[in-house]
Amino acid sequence: MLTGEQKKAPSNAPSYPRVFADSLIAEAAKDDKICAVTAAMPDGTGLNLFAERYPSRCFDVGIAEQHGVTFSAGLAAGGMKPFCTMYSTFLQRAIDSIIHDVAIQGLPVIFAMDRAGLVGADGATHQGVFDITYLRMIPDMVCMAPSDENELTGALATALQCEGPSAFRFPRGTGPGTAIDARAEAWPLGKARWVHAGEGAQVSILSLGPVLEEACAAAQDLAHQGIATNVLDMRFIKPLDEEAILGLARDANMTFITAEEGVLAGGFGSAVLELLSANGCTNKVARIGLPDRFVEHGSVAKQSASAGLDRAGFVAAARRLVTGQSVAINAPEVSH
């Protein structure tokens, strides 16, 4: 039975970079073609652990992200399977190389983006909020956003099966404490995961990444208020699960909330709107994400609340869609 129940993180839960490093080491033990490249970020990304185990397969190019991407392209052209591992906010320095040296060549470089989403009190320069937009525009790029620790291992396994470029994003800090499977399983390409199915649902929350926990909590609150809600863990930014979204949209009364820790401009919510528009769907959509301004200094909790990316924000957005009530909590953008 789908309940959407989330397990709380124990105090000793491993960080996302540690989960990434452990999963990468496990895969590298099975495949000597796997290697890793970073740009002066080995400790932050967990690649210091990979380097200890496989020093000849780990490369730190210094503060030279563009070179790191081009070097990864060269490794891939030579038959290696490189994980180009950088903070989201610094990978954007290399967008030209991602397009010209990797994507146009169709090379299987895997971009592992640490510090993706809100990072709290590191200032505007370190918020990883643009990668969804700047990677989504690139043809043939597979883009993923795991929602917890176990999903991160699944994203990594999926990336290894991609014939061309792929990317997955993971946040700073620890997750909800989800148990990690002994063996990572790749995901069906472009398919979402149903987390909660509300009987007679009026709202479907299309959740991207770690905001899933707040989305599930909101669905429980909404159920108590008489608003049945579906929750989908979308997993993929590109390719979108068009079948799931359009299937829900066949009900003209179904409304959607898209939730992402990224800028609204050109982001995941925009992709959903593009899909619905292209298919003549007129469902209402509330997009929740980061507005068109730089993120201010503060805790992740405060930054999330300010953008409506929390339990209260999702509840307010759903009530606005269903009842037409005005929303006092950072009203998300609603499209008709």
Side-chain angles (χ1 to χ4, degrees), residues 257-258 264 285-293 304-310 312-321 324-335:
I257 294 173
T258 65
L264 287 172
V285 180
R287 294 184 302 141
I288 305 182
L290 301 173
D292 192 25
R293 60 176 181 266
S304 297
S306 178
L309 281 166
D310 61 358
F314 295 146
V315 169
R319 290 191 61 82
R320 183 185 183 199
L321 286 169
Q325 290 179 331
S326 61
V327 181
I329 303 177
N330 306 297
E333 297 185 13
V334 178
S335 300

Side-chain angles (χ1 to χ4, degrees), residues 222-245:
L222 288 164
H224 292 312
Q225 299 175 29
I227 300 175
T229 305
N230 298 321
V231 180
L232 283 75
D233 178 7
M234 294 307 296
R235 285 181 166 170
F236 290 89
I237 302 152
K238 186 178 182 179
L240 271 180
D241 191 339
E242 297 185 0
E243 182 179 9
I245 296 170

Side-chain angles (χ1 to χ4, degrees), residues 207-228:
S207 177
L208 187 70
V211 295
L212 178 65
E213 188 172 16
E214 293 294 297
C216 290
Q220 294 175 2
D221 291 346
L222 288 164
H224 292 312
Q225 299 175 29
I227 300 175

Side-chain angles (χ1 to χ4, degrees), residues 1 4 6 10 12 20 61-62 74 84 137-138 155 160 203 215 229 240 251 257 261-262 268 293 313 320 326:
M1 180 179 177
Q6 297 286 295
N12 61 344
F20 164 70
V61 301
C84 186
M137 69 179 182
I138 301 174
L160 282 168
V203 179
T229 305
L240 271 180
D251 178 358
I257 294 173
E261 265 194 25
F268 165 68
R293 60 176 181 266
R320 183 185 183 199
S326 61

Side-chain angles (χ1 to χ4, degrees), residues 101-113:
D101 298 331
V102 176
I104 290 178
Q105 318 306 323
L107 293 169
V109 174
I110 299 168
F111 296 97
M113 295 176 290

